[in-house]
Amino acid sequence: MNTQLSPQERERLYSLIREKLDLGGAECPEEINHTTIVRELPGVDSMKLLRLLGAVELGFQVNLGFEAVVQVRTVRDIERLICASREQYAARRIPSVGGRP
């Protein structure tokens, strides 16, 4: 399973995180990266996290599921969830041999 985003997708994810968690100003002392602990970012609460994950689903065209909320600790966890969703979708799309399901 590919558990990494391309550099462009990763930057898009970081931008989405800054936007949805309102981290554009000086109150965010660190740059977002894969080791950033999402719940420790300034002002993050459960509703903002839900909105972020919903935006990730729309922006990356994936289905993370409700369990994603408890699985996300770091930004890397969000990346893994995106890649896992893509893998699940791809596995369902592979045609069967001989035309049988």
Side-chain angles (χ1 to χ4, degrees):
M1 173 184 354
N2 181 10
T3 59
Q4 291 190 326
L5 300 178
S6 70
Q8 296 83 8
E9 289 176 315
R10 186 171 292 120
E11 190 51 46
R12 188 170 51 146
L13 174 61
Y14 296 170
S15 177
L16 195 61
I17 290 169
R18 285 189 291 273
E19 175 190 336
K20 294 301 173 185
L21 299 181
D22 299 324
L23 301 175
E27 65 273 358
C28 187
E30 61 185 60
E31 185 64 29
I32 304 289
N33 63 54
H34 68 281
T35 62
T36 300
I37 299 173
V38 177
R39 294 174 195 268
E40 291 181 2
L41 290 169
V44 171
D45 60 26
S46 58
M47 289 306 295
K48 283 186 178 181
L49 183 56
L50 279 172
R51 282 194 293 272
L52 169 62
L53 294 176
V56 167
E57 285 186 327
L58 291 173
F60 286 87
Q61 298 180 345
V62 295
N63 182 7
L64 304 180
F66 289 111
E67 63 276 357
V69 173
V70 295
Q71 293 175 346
V72 170
R73 180 171 168 3
T74 65
V75 172
R76 180 80 171 115
D77 294 331
I78 298 173
E79 286 188 38
R80 284 190 191 112
L81 288 167
I82 292 168
C83 294
S85 178
R86 287 176 174 173
E87 290 286 327
Q88 288 174 352
Y89 179 76
R92 289 192 303 258
R93 302 272 306 166
I94 297 173
S96 60
V97 177
R100 294 184 191 160

